[in-house]
Amino acid sequence: MKIILIILIGTLSLLLAIKYTMQCNYHHKAISQCIMMFDNIEILLSYNVLSTQNIFKLLSENDKYNLLTFIKNISTNMESKNSDYVLSCENQKYIYGNKYLKKEDKENLINFFSLFGKSDLNGQIINCKTYKKIFKKRFEFIEVNDKKECKSISTMILGIGFLVIILLF
């Protein structure tokens, strides 16, 4: 019985550490995909005269944004309603529903999309560049701070698990 309990605690602590590390990695990748999204929106605005609906359709067809699940949902919603208005209440739910981004990231995206399509072309390009810089700074911050925190918490989870195992032995 004691052996089974030790195996279960060891396995559980290992799985919790792996899960937490994967969440950190997914967040890092999602921020990277946001930066790519801003790059692509900027390019699409610069070289093509597309509606916001068409921009979202092109973005939603790109597999590079697999962690930004809200893009496909917003695109489908805009297409079904034949609307160029990006930030409806329903679309905000899609952004807030993304499990790979943190609250701060989601609020920055909502701020970006609240301005998207509401100014002239140059204003929209400047808006893309501004939010791309914000997300690049966020990316750098995550690389330095969150990865350290992630490693330390994962190590702590493993340490507690092994401590319990030693105490049971």
Side-chain angles (χ1 to χ4, degrees):
M1 181 70 174
K2 204 176 199 181
I3 301 277
I4 293 172
L5 186 60
I6 289 171
I7 291 171
L8 283 174
I9 290 173
T11 305
L12 180 65
S13 64
L14 181 64
L15 290 174
L16 284 172
I18 290 171
K19 182 181 185 280
Y20 191 78
T21 303
M22 287 178 65
Q23 283 177 333
C24 292
N25 288 337
Y26 282 134
H27 180 234
H28 194 256
K29 288 177 186 175
I31 294 295
S32 175
Q33 288 181 10
C34 285
I35 294 168
M36 286 190 307
M37 177 190 70
F38 291 126
D39 274 337
N40 283 344
I41 290 174
E42 185 181 335
I43 289 167
L44 290 169
L45 288 171
S46 297
Y47 297 108
N48 297 316
V49 181
L50 296 173
S51 66
T52 54
Q53 185 178 355
N54 289 335
I55 288 173
F56 263 90
K57 185 173 183 178
L58 286 173
L59 291 174
S60 70
E61 293 169 352
N62 195 332
D63 290 336
K64 290 180 189 176
Y65 307 117
N66 63 328
L67 299 179
L68 304 180
T69 54
F70 60 87
I71 292 176
K72 286 186 181 181
N73 295 332
I74 291 174
S75 175
T76 303
N77 193 26
M78 289 173 71
E79 197 172 337
S80 69
K81 293 182 179 178
N82 198 18
S83 170
D84 276 344
Y85 183 58
V86 178
L87 205 64
S88 66
C89 289
E90 192 174 345
N91 290 345
Q92 283 186 28
K93 287 185 218 172
Y94 296 136
I95 293 172
Y96 276 119
N98 187 290
K99 63 183 178 182
Y100 304 112
L101 296 170
K102 293 190 176 175
K103 185 177 180 182
E104 179 183 342
D105 309 321
K106 294 172 186 179
E107 288 173 356
N108 280 328
L109 284 169
I110 285 174
N111 289 337
F112 170 76
F113 289 125
S114 68
L115 300 171
F116 190 63
K118 292 189 177 177
S119 65
D120 65 341
L121 194 60
N122 288 333
Q124 290 184 66
I125 292 171
I126 290 170
N127 192 33
C128 279
K129 288 180 181 181
T130 302
Y131 278 92
K132 184 170 58 174
K133 284 180 187 175
I134 290 170
F135 274 81
K136 279 185 178 180
K137 285 181 182 176
R138 183 88 172 115
F139 184 82
E140 292 165 4
F141 177 81
I142 289 168
E143 263 190 338
V144 173
N145 297 318
D146 282 5
K147 285 204 171 187
K148 284 180 186 176
E149 179 184 324
C150 194
K151 286 179 184 177
S152 65
I153 289 175
S154 295
T155 305
M156 185 178 67
I157 291 170
L158 286 172
I160 290 170
F162 289 122
L163 177 67
V164 171
I165 290 172
I166 290 169
L167 291 174
L168 286 174
F169 226 17

